[in-house]
Amino acid sequence: MFSVTVRDHLMIAHSLRGEVFGPAQALHGATYVVDATFRGEQLDDDGIVVDIGRAAEVLHRLVGALTYRNLDDEPDLAGVNTTTEVLARVLADRIVEAVHAGELGGAAHDLAAVVVTLHESHVAWAGYERAL
Amino acid sequence: MFSVTVRDHLMIAHSLRGEVFGPAQALHGATYVVDATFRGEQLDDDGIVVDIGRAAEVLHRLVGALTYRNLDDEPDLAGVNTTTEVLARVLADRIVEAVHAGELGGAAHDLAAVVVTLHESHVAWAGYERAL
Amino acid sequence: MFSVTVRDHLMIAHSLRGEVFGPAQALHGATYVVDATFRGEQLDDDGIVVDIGRAAEVLHRLVGALTYRNLDDEPDLAGVNTTTEVLARVLADRIVEAVHAGELGGAAHDLAAVVVTLHESHVAWAGYERAL
Amino acid sequence: MFSVTVRDHLMIAHSLRGEVFGPAQALHGATYVVDATFRGEQLDDDGIVVDIGRAAEVLHRLVGALTYRNLDDEPDLAGVNTTTEVLARVLADRIVEAVHAGELGGAAHDLAAVVVTLHESHVAWAGYERAL
Amino acid sequence: MFSVTVRDHLMIAHSLRGEVFGPAQALHGATYVVDATFRGEQLDDDGIVVDIGRAAEVLHRLVGALTYRNLDDEPDLAGVNTTTEVLARVLADRIVEAVHAGELGGAAHDLAAVVVTLHESHVAWAGYERAL
Amino acid sequence: MFSVTVRDHLMIAHSLRGEVFGPAQALHGATYVVDATFRGEQLDDDGIVVDIGRAAEVLHRLVGALTYRNLDDEPDLAGVNTTTEVLARVLADRIVEAVHAGELGGAAHDLAAVVVTLHESHVAWAGYERAL
């Protein structure tokens, strides 16, 4: 199995609903350093899993649609508890949409999985893996 | 599959038994930067795999029970060759015990696996994954 | 010159005032990974610049007083544009107060400088150095 | 499942063939920070997956055979488009040959997989996993 | 003293002239992860040392002018032995030119120094500091 | 001012004397990731501050003389409280001896300073800078 990963980041405000979150129920924020991994069993004729340039562009566009926002006010995330796990899934789902829309090019047709990891600090991170 | 990881560290002395270890057969020591990963197929109603605060507390307590020790003298590790692989398993097993004892809260009931990775330097690390 | 550094982090919401900040004028947030460095020309009789345990505790208390907050609503920061540079100075000033109040112990009497560095992402950080 | 990873690096020149590579079709170069991971279900009697010292030596020899070269001129890589994915496979295959030749010692007999990850910058990396 | 740092990278081929470089006299290459630090004694009215957005743009343009090249063929570097130290100075000088040309905005008028650090691997880096 | 840094590591056991060290008074251990920085105002005719290959070799030899040891039993360190600060000075002093003995080559004649930084974990490090 091959994999390619690109890294970007986003900076958001949000609050979390549920007693389990303790002080994080208050409005606060986070930088998420985001790793998007593309897995595939085969390389294409160019010797790649995915066009890494396109992968970086798609990731940059997707994190750009969320960064410098208060996620509590985002219509697309209404009713969503934006935990790190949930945000990883949101980004993975949007990347998969971009794959299906052809935005990552022909090499991406045979992807086996997409994994998104969000680092919220130097001591905590969360991820979501979605098979294709 | 979702995952959540928390990081902590411990600093110990020990020696390793076996010719394969060369100079590491002498009493020496290590800092292990420890990553504990919790994997699960589902999020609970709060949108989490595991309560990250409790996960960090449990990890901190477990590494606290080993740090600033000479592992050669630990009764719990008598007869154990405390390689990085073995210590990763010891910590993973203790984390699983904590999960079963309910110390990580209700979200942890559906965990699929626990992974512990011990970084012994900037150029070497080892890990152990245990299914639940 | 000797130095000792301890690392912690805080997660906040805030907005920045001024056209120069572009989209960061909106309410958003950040994780700051915080490095506090203590510099001194001499070691004390124990062979330390500062009690690293106390240094970590003081830093943890000071970042704890800001984390999980919306800095726009903090009375202590009213009228302050909480750029990364400014927050580095705020934390450095509070550390120096703690040094003067004796909270870092006797070894800290001879400190030459305190430096605070705030990492706001994997590609940007800012710092403030204050002589003592 | 246990794993052990060792890290090394290599510095090469090369060019990539294919329009998808854009400016990287020109002769340029890269540092690859290389992580070689050895996975196994069992520990041997010494408590290890693989002799980490031998693993580091083998990796160092293999990256040494490529470093400070122009890969476009390497006879062994003639006709190969040396993308990061392809180089990860080349190194993984050579590590597996070394395992089969007994260079990693007896503990390596029961390895389940070898994974090679090449970090080409702080924001991009690729890997190849090969089952044994 | 305040500081702000932004990070980017470039990937080049080159060879080094001089017996001291051993195998690095052959055509090879490197990824340089580049940190550009801006130091100043004062913050401007917005509370910044330098507009971090402009700083990142200027750094990206300057590394973009070198990346995906064979530095042995660059007219601007003819006769230059492109060691890591020398490349750090080249980039620092170009950043200072950009500061003087007003490309970093008004806040940059009072900069005290520019520092450029080039990481050539996980175990080696070099830098150049230039006072303004 | 130019600088060149090389990184290596050592793994030791030791105990610390003094109530300030709390549980670290017991025999324990540490991995120190060691950065040795060489600073100089001028580059030599080859365009370097110091021969980076020799610098890495000297650092490797010096950390090799301490690693896999119990520092409490080292004759050279008898009566020394081996705090991270003290070990940074020990290594810096030994590097300066090597510079004076000509082991770093001709380029090292004009060095302005040597800095040694010891990372004892992902959240704590200490250093010593010595002018030449």
Side-chain angles (χ1 to χ4, degrees):
Chain A
M1 179 73 85
F2 294 92
S3 68
V4 166
T5 303
V6 290
R7 173 169 283 189
D8 210 309
H9 75 286
L10 71 163
M11 304 175 80
I12 54 88
H14 69 158
S15 59
L16 297 170
R17 293 190 308 275
E19 286 184 20
V20 71
F21 299 107
Q25 294 175 89
L27 182 65
H28 65 289
T31 304
Y32 296 109
V33 176
V34 184
D35 296 336
T37 298
F38 301 85
R39 292 194 178 141
E41 289 287 353
Q42 304 294 333
L43 298 183
D44 74 358
D45 291 346
D46 289 317
I48 58 175
V49 172
V50 66
D51 179 347
I52 197 169
R54 287 196 184 194
E57 284 168 16
V58 164
L59 180 61
H60 194 62
R61 179 173 58 75
L62 293 175
V63 301
L66 291 173
T67 199
Y68 297 127
R69 307 285 180 90
N70 178 356
L71 299 187
D72 294 354
D73 295 339
E74 284 297 292
D76 285 357
L77 298 172
V80 175
N81 215 13
T82 54
T83 62
T84 312
E85 293 95 316
V86 166
L87 287 172
R89 185 174 56 189
V90 167
L91 281 166
D93 287 347
R94 293 181 181 182
I95 288 169
V96 170
E97 285 174 25
V99 169
H100 289 160
E103 297 176 44
L104 280 97
H109 281 312
D110 292 326
L111 287 174
V114 166
V115 189
V116 171
T117 307
L118 268 66
H119 304 258
E120 67 177 60
S121 74
H122 64 305
V123 292
W125 53 98
Y128 177 66
E129 175 170 353
R130 178 172 160 181
L132 283 176
Chain B
M1 179 73 85
F2 294 93
S3 68
V4 166
T5 303
V6 290
R7 174 168 282 189
D8 210 309
H9 74 286
L10 71 163
M11 303 174 82
I12 55 87
H14 69 157
S15 58
L16 297 170
R17 292 189 310 274
E19 285 184 20
V20 71
F21 298 107
Q25 294 174 88
L27 182 66
H28 65 288
T31 305
Y32 297 109
V33 175
V34 184
D35 296 336
T37 298
F38 301 85
R39 292 194 179 142
E41 289 287 354
Q42 304 294 333
L43 298 183
D44 74 358
D45 290 347
D46 289 316
I48 58 175
V49 173
V50 67
D51 178 347
I52 198 168
R54 286 196 184 195
E57 284 168 17
V58 164
L59 180 62
H60 194 62
R61 180 172 59 75
L62 292 176
V63 300
L66 290 174
T67 198
Y68 297 127
R69 307 285 179 90
N70 178 356
L71 299 187
D72 295 354
D73 295 339
E74 284 297 292
D76 286 357
L77 299 171
V80 175
N81 215 14
T82 55
T83 62
T84 312
E85 294 94 317
V86 166
L87 287 172
R89 185 174 56 190
V90 166
L91 281 165
D93 287 348
R94 292 181 180 182
I95 288 169
V96 170
E97 286 174 24
V99 169
H100 289 159
E103 297 177 43
L104 280 98
H109 281 312
D110 293 326
L111 286 174
V114 165
V115 189
V116 170
T117 306
L118 269 66
H119 304 258
E120 68 177 60
S121 75
H122 64 304
V123 292
W125 52 98
Y128 177 65
E129 174 170 352
R130 178 173 160 180
L132 283 176
Chain C
M1 180 72 85
F2 294 93
S3 68
V4 166
T5 302
V6 290
R7 174 169 282 189
D8 210 310
H9 75 285
L10 71 163
M11 302 174 82
I12 55 88
H14 69 157
S15 59
L16 297 171
R17 292 189 309 275
E19 285 183 20
V20 71
F21 298 107
Q25 294 175 88
L27 182 65
H28 65 288
T31 305
Y32 296 109
V33 175
V34 184
D35 297 335
T37 299
F38 301 85
R39 291 193 179 142
E41 290 286 353
Q42 304 295 332
L43 299 182
D44 75 357
D45 291 347
D46 288 317
I48 58 175
V49 172
V50 66
D51 179 346
I52 198 169
R54 287 197 184 194
E57 285 168 16
V58 165
L59 181 62
H60 194 62
R61 181 173 57 75
L62 292 176
V63 302
L66 291 173
T67 198
Y68 297 126
R69 308 283 180 89
N70 178 356
L71 299 187
D72 295 353
D73 295 338
E74 282 298 291
D76 286 357
L77 298 172
V80 174
N81 215 13
T82 54
T83 62
T84 313
E85 294 95 315
V86 165
L87 287 173
R89 185 174 56 190
V90 166
L91 281 166
D93 288 348
R94 293 180 182 183
I95 289 170
V96 170
E97 285 175 24
V99 169
H100 289 161
E103 296 177 43
L104 280 97
H109 282 314
D110 293 326
L111 286 174
V114 166
V115 189
V116 171
T117 306
L118 268 67
H119 304 258
E120 68 177 59
S121 75
H122 64 305
V123 291
W125 52 97
Y128 177 65
E129 175 171 351
R130 177 172 161 181
L132 284 177
Chain D
M1 179 73 85
F2 294 92
S3 68
V4 167
T5 302
V6 290
R7 174 169 282 189
D8 209 309
H9 74 286
L10 72 162
M11 303 175 82
I12 56 86
H14 69 156
S15 58
L16 297 171
R17 291 189 311 275
E19 286 184 20
V20 71
F21 298 107
Q25 295 175 88
L27 182 65
H28 65 288
T31 305
Y32 296 109
V33 175
V34 184
D35 297 336
T37 298
F38 301 85
R39 292 194 179 141
E41 289 287 353
Q42 304 294 333
L43 299 183
D44 75 357
D45 291 346
D46 290 315
I48 58 175
V49 172
V50 67
D51 178 346
I52 198 168
R54 286 196 185 194
E57 285 168 15
V58 165
L59 180 61
H60 194 63
R61 180 172 59 75
L62 292 175
V63 301
L66 291 173
T67 198
Y68 298 127
R69 307 285 179 89
N70 177 357
L71 299 187
D72 295 354
D73 295 339
E74 284 296 292
D76 285 358
L77 299 171
V80 175
N81 215 13
T82 55
T83 63
T84 312
E85 294 94 316
V86 166
L87 287 173
R89 185 174 57 190
V90 166
L91 281 165
D93 287 347
R94 293 181 181 182
I95 289 170
V96 170
E97 285 175 24
V99 169
H100 290 160
E103 296 176 43
L104 280 97
H109 280 312
D110 293 325
L111 286 174
V114 166
V115 190
V116 170
T117 307
L118 268 67
H119 304 258
E120 67 177 60
S121 75
H122 64 304
V123 292
W125 52 97
Y128 177 65
E129 175 170 352
R130 178 173 159 179
L132 283 177
Chain E
M1 179 73 84
F2 294 92
S3 69
V4 167
T5 302
V6 290
R7 173 169 283 189
D8 210 308
H9 74 286
L10 72 162
M11 303 176 81
I12 56 86
H14 69 156
S15 59
L16 297 170
R17 291 189 310 275
E19 286 183 20
V20 71
F21 299 107
Q25 295 175 88
L27 182 66
H28 65 289
T31 304
Y32 296 109
V33 175
V34 184
D35 297 336
T37 299
F38 301 86
R39 292 194 179 142
E41 289 286 354
Q42 305 293 333
L43 299 182
D44 74 358
D45 290 347
D46 289 315
I48 58 175
V49 172
V50 66
D51 179 346
I52 198 169
R54 286 196 184 194
E57 284 168 17
V58 165
L59 181 61
H60 194 62
R61 180 173 58 75
L62 292 176
V63 302
L66 290 173
T67 198
Y68 296 127
R69 307 284 180 90
N70 178 356
L71 299 186
D72 295 354
D73 295 339
E74 283 297 292
D76 286 357
L77 298 172
V80 175
N81 215 14
T82 54
T83 62
T84 312
E85 294 94 315
V86 166
L87 287 173
R89 184 173 58 190
V90 166
L91 281 166
D93 288 348
R94 292 181 181 183
I95 288 170
V96 170
E97 284 174 26
V99 169
H100 289 160
E103 296 176 43
L104 280 97
H109 281 313
D110 293 326
L111 287 174
V114 166
V115 189
V116 170
T117 306
L118 268 67
H119 304 258
E120 68 176 60
S121 76
H122 64 306
V123 292
W125 51 97
Y128 177 65
E129 175 171 354
R130 178 173 160 180
L132 284 176
Chain F
M1 179 73 84
F2 293 92
S3 68
V4 166
T5 303
V6 290
R7 173 170 283 190
D8 210 309
H9 74 286
L10 71 164
M11 303 175 81
I12 55 87
H14 69 157
S15 59
L16 297 171
R17 293 190 309 274
E19 286 183 20
V20 71
F21 299 107
Q25 294 175 87
L27 182 65
H28 65 288
T31 304
Y32 296 110
V33 175
V34 184
D35 297 335
T37 298
F38 301 85
R39 292 193 179 142
E41 290 286 353
Q42 305 294 333
L43 299 183
D44 75 357
D45 291 346
D46 289 317
I48 58 175
V49 172
V50 66
D51 179 346
I52 198 170
R54 286 197 184 194
E57 285 168 16
V58 164
L59 180 62
H60 194 62
R61 180 173 57 75
L62 292 176
V63 302
L66 291 173
T67 198
Y68 296 127
R69 308 284 180 88
N70 178 356
L71 299 187
D72 295 355
D73 295 339
E74 283 298 292
D76 286 357
L77 298 172
V80 175
N81 215 13
T82 55
T83 62
T84 312
E85 294 95 315
V86 165
L87 286 172
R89 185 173 57 190
V90 166
L91 280 166
D93 288 348
R94 292 181 181 182
I95 288 170
V96 170
E97 285 174 26
V99 169
H100 288 160
E103 295 176 45
L104 280 98
H109 281 313
D110 293 325
L111 286 174
V114 166
V115 189
V116 171
T117 306
L118 268 67
H119 304 258
E120 68 177 59
S121 75
H122 64 306
V123 291
W125 52 98
Y128 177 65
E129 176 171 352
R130 178 173 159 180
L132 283 176

